[in-house]
Amino acid sequence: MSGQADATSTGPLRRAMRGRDPGEEHRASTPLELLFDLTFVVAVSQAASQFHHALAEGHVGSGLAAYAAVFFAIWWAWMNFTWFASAYDTDDAPYRLLTLLQMAGVLVLAAGVSAVFERGDFALVVAGYIVMRVAMVAQWVRAAVEHPEGRGGALRYAVGITVVQLGWVARLWAPGAWAWVTFLVLVAAELAVPAWAEYRGSPTGWHPGHIAERYSLFTIIVLGEVILGSLAAVHSAVAGRGLSAPVLLIAIGGLLLVFALWWIYFTGSEAGLTTLRTALVWGYGHYVVFAALAAIGAGLEAALDAVEHHGHLPVRGAGPAVALPVVITLLMLGALHRVTRTGAVGHALLVGGGALVVLVLGLSAPALGIGGAVLGMGLAVAATLAANLFSVRRRAEGH
């Protein structure tokens, strides 16, 4: 049995939402979850592309603020569905229809990304969220009605999500600086809802292995966007002026970064999501991981722009545009692996040392050339990976 149906099942189109077994064996992502993730490919691509354009135009500060805000919206929408699905995936007709409605909301959100970067206008993003939240609240209300054991937590989720969403709608009329103040307040409120619902209500039965796999798959999606965006930028550069040494070095360095960071992420055992505290740290910490990984793609595209003398970002800015998201990714992955005790980090100093070298290389782009700096970053992260794998192996052998 998959754990989705029970004796109260009313047929293939309708099943009672009793909750999944958190100890269920061979729990894997469903085809519906994979389709859901595909809608986020569009959203992530839009965010990274707009961030790249902001960097190219030299609007680093405003571009970074818009990117952080938009990526929070993207990540939080994905996370809300992912954790609910881990606990209550009945995969019947009502569940599928509400999930498809959430996908439509994601696409509306993606359509509003450019307006946030250009005018600070969140209206379309909020409209997309309203569509998603109507479906999400309906799912939680259904869980409260059909799963008495989890009713307390489900109702708290439904109420908390509704109240915060009303806050996002009201924020559209916030004047001037209050727009960003209220944004931060509402972000804090969003993050507080799961903790409040889980601690004060009945905890939901999310599946640790399933959650770890879902985050892994989203990581691959983000890395795929980095490769796709970088490839398009390389193709444009080659089509314009032919294959030059700096473009080749950036292409090689970018691939090394993607491969090495992927390997670091997938080193070690399954995440130890055994407690709610650990799960929240893992779940929330991935906002930084996902956003930083996607930003690497924007940085690589900005580096290629600098080589081709497109845009207004100089080499001294293009180097840190690649280096900083790599540094953030390394440090956050190291922290998350240690918190969840996956055994993927042999020694914290290895990751920290690698991050420091990458930062120095990024700042040295004017002297090394942007191509040499990016290639150096790729080699530095690859060396960090190799040293860490050696350290992990020695620890496993008891040395």
Side-chain angles (χ1 to χ4, degrees):
M1 294 291 289
S2 66
Q4 295 181 24
D6 55 24
T8 63
S9 176
T10 58
L13 295 180
R14 181 73 166 82
R15 296 188 178 105
M17 186 174 275
R18 298 300 191 195
R20 299 284 294 246
D21 179 5
E24 179 183 340
E25 295 183 358
H26 310 298
R27 178 73 189 278
S29 297
T30 66
L32 182 62
E33 287 175 318
L34 298 179
L35 180 62
F36 182 82
D37 286 356
L38 284 180
T39 61
F40 283 88
V41 171
V42 179
V44 171
S45 177
Q46 283 291 307
S49 176
Q50 291 295 324
F51 186 40
H52 159 232
H53 291 315
L55 291 175
E57 293 301 317
H59 303 151
V60 179
S62 60
L64 182 59
Y67 177 73
V70 165
F71 211 95
F72 175 83
I74 295 169
W75 162 76
W76 192 246
W78 178 85
M79 184 165 166
N80 278 192
F81 169 77
T82 294
W83 287 77
F84 176 86
S86 189
Y88 288 108
D89 181 5
T90 58
D91 199 32
D92 58 4
Y95 179 89
R96 289 187 174 192
L97 291 173
L98 286 171
T99 301
L100 292 172
L101 181 59
Q102 289 183 72
M103 293 182 202
V106 174
L107 296 177
V108 174
L109 183 160
V113 168
S114 60
V116 175
F117 278 86
E118 294 168 4
R119 305 183 300 277
D121 183 0
F122 283 83
L124 202 52
V125 170
V126 171
Y129 249 80
I130 291 172
V131 174
M132 289 186 287
R133 252 59 197 281
V134 167
M136 194 76 261
V137 170
Q139 297 276 41
W140 280 115
V141 170
R142 181 185 174 192
V145 171
E146 299 182 12
H147 186 226
E149 295 85 351
R151 182 167 297 158
L155 288 176
R156 281 180 169 80
Y157 272 110
V159 171
I161 291 171
T162 301
V163 170
V164 178
Q165 185 57 44
L166 291 174
W168 285 115
V169 173
R171 178 191 169 273
L172 293 175
W173 286 272
W178 283 104
W180 286 106
V181 172
T182 52
F183 181 88
L184 295 176
V185 170
L186 287 167
V187 165
E190 291 279 11
L191 297 177
V193 169
W196 173 63
E198 296 286 345
Y199 280 114
R200 298 299 300 272
S202 307
T204 54
W206 43 269
H207 191 289
H210 177 247
I211 288 293
E213 182 193 37
R214 297 292 293 122
Y215 275 78
S216 297
L217 291 173
F218 200 81
T219 299
I220 292 174
I221 285 176
V222 175
L223 288 173
E225 284 301 313
V226 174
I227 294 173
L228 181 61
S230 301
L231 177 62
V234 169
H235 180 268
S236 177
V238 172
R241 298 190 181 183
L243 181 61
S244 64
V247 170
L248 180 60
L249 293 178
I250 291 173
I252 295 172
L255 282 177
L256 283 173
L257 287 173
V258 170
F259 294 159
L261 290 172
W262 169 85
W263 200 326
I264 290 172
Y265 186 96
F266 287 95
T267 300
S269 60
E270 181 181 285
L273 306 179
T274 55
T275 67
L276 180 59
R277 174 183 171 277
T278 304
L280 289 176
V281 171
W282 175 262
Y284 290 177
H286 267 74
Y287 162 69
V288 178
V289 174
F290 293 153
L293 284 173
I296 292 172
L300 289 170
E301 292 179 64
L304 287 163
D305 286 342
V307 168
E308 296 299 304
H309 304 291
H310 295 159
H312 303 286
L313 187 68
V315 170
R316 67 175 180 274
V322 179
L324 288 175
V326 173
V327 167
I328 293 170
T329 302
L330 280 173
L331 294 179
M332 183 54 69
L333 284 180
L336 291 179
H337 275 307
R338 292 187 71 84
V339 166
T340 54
R341 299 179 181 179
T342 64
V345 177
H347 200 291
L349 289 178
L350 290 173
V351 175
L356 180 60
V357 172
V358 169
L359 181 60
V360 171
L361 287 167
L363 296 174
S364 302
L368 298 173
I370 188 62
V374 173
L375 178 61
M377 293 179 216
L379 292 172
V381 177
T384 301
L385 166 66
N388 186 63
L389 290 174
F390 179 75
S391 178
V392 169
R393 180 179 178 181
R394 287 182 61 85
R395 290 186 64 179
E397 293 174 349
H399 292 293

